[in-house]
Amino acid sequence: MTPPAAPALHHTADGPPGAPPLILGPSVGTSLALWEPQLPALARRFHVVRWDLPGHGGTPTDVLATPGTTTIPELAGLVLQLADSLGLDAFAYAGVSLGGAVGAWLAAHHPTRISALALICSSARFGEPAGWRERAALVRAKGLDQVADGAAGRWFTPAFATTPEATALVTALRQDVSPEGYAACCDALAAYDLRSTLPRIAAPTLVVAGRADPATPPAHARELTDGIRDANLVELSGAAHLAGVERPAEVLAALLAHLAPLHAQPAPGTDY
């Protein structure tokens, strides 16, 4: 038997190797550090695998096949390669924004691989393709400065945008993301439209929306919930696009409740 190929995506693994597997996907412009607020509690119950997008964090941009043609299916294929390399036949998956789109595509096209799904501030279609193509062209031509300058306003409510947590993520966007990697993710978002395929998703699905999210407003979450059979929707007040950072306890509570049927019992004396 041919061994699985080495994973192209940089990743980390936390939690007991024998616990139910949970893969966590990030949003464009962030790294696997996006999940730090929820990681300790999740890793007590799951074998948690976090991954970086191409050109983000520890994943090089050259894992992509052809510059300018990146798609969600290509990114999903890299996640499946990662899962295969770790011996994960089926796994729960939670993702933020673009990371959620990857999970939704996997659940629709590889249903036997996804045991449960959580889509956080995500969408079946992220607006008009032209806007993403324009952003990709801007970043390729001029770098990430203009995107980074407006990131806090897209990611967080005004009350949270100047906190140390918000500032750290914007700084990481400037320092740890390559322009080509960011642009490639914009290419993938431009080409993405899962609306007609949502009814194919059979995994138990949680949808989380930030009521103040300008990037994927609650209407996007409601479209996901209406299109996916028996999906549950949680809307959080006082949260914009990176709701897991701005409202970490509420996002964690929603995830733990949704994933409760899968998780192993915690060791005596532990809590969350």
Side-chain angles (χ1 to χ4, degrees):
M1 180 181 294
T2 303
L9 298 174
H10 172 254
H11 65 283
T12 62
D14 297 273
L22 169 63
I23 295 181
L24 302 177
S27 65
V28 62
T30 72
S31 73
L32 53 78
L34 182 65
W35 286 98
E36 290 289 347
Q38 290 78 35
L39 181 64
L42 292 175
R44 284 197 285 271
R45 287 167 162 73
F46 301 96
H47 184 61
V48 179
V49 177
R50 296 176 294 159
W51 58 277
D52 279 332
L53 289 158
H56 292 60
T59 298
T61 306
D62 62 10
V63 301
L64 298 170
T66 305
T69 64
T70 304
T71 62
I72 298 293
E74 181 179 4
L75 297 175
L78 292 172
V79 172
L80 285 183
Q81 180 185 337
L82 171 60
D84 291 344
S85 74
L86 299 173
L88 305 181
D89 184 32
F91 47 88
Y93 185 98
V96 180
S97 194
L98 171 59
V102 170
W105 191 92
L106 285 171
H109 293 88
H110 297 272
T112 62
R113 303 298 299 268
I114 305 298
S115 58
L117 178 66
L119 307 175
I120 300 172
C121 299
S122 195
S123 184
R125 181 175 183 265
F126 292 82
E128 292 297 326
W132 291 108
R133 295 192 183 105
E134 289 169 5
R135 190 185 297 190
L138 172 67
V139 169
R140 286 186 170 109
K142 298 186 177 181
L144 283 166
D145 282 347
Q146 291 187 49
V147 170
D149 288 344
R154 294 189 301 274
W155 287 350
F156 306 111
T157 63
F160 194 83
T162 57
T163 63
E165 296 89 345
T167 300
L169 284 170
V170 175
T171 298
L173 167 60
R174 295 182 188 276
Q175 296 178 349
D176 300 332
V177 178
S178 73
E180 181 53 41
Y182 189 99
C185 290
C186 292
D187 294 334
L189 290 168
Y192 179 69
D193 188 346
L194 202 68
R195 290 174 294 180
S196 65
T197 316
L198 292 177
R200 294 172 56 177
I201 297 176
T205 300
L206 167 70
V207 180
V208 177
R211 287 182 179 161
D213 184 356
T216 51
H220 290 233
R222 294 169 195 147
E223 183 174 46
L224 287 168
T225 308
D226 290 343
I228 300 171
R229 183 172 64 252
D230 298 327
N232 292 316
L233 172 63
V234 173
E235 293 189 19
L236 299 176
S237 61
H241 193 52
L242 299 188
V245 177
E246 194 158 7
R247 300 290 300 276
E250 290 82 355
V251 170
L252 174 62
L255 283 171
L256 289 175
H258 179 62
L259 299 174
L262 301 177
H263 72 63
Q265 292 299 314
T270 62
D271 58 28
Y272 55 83

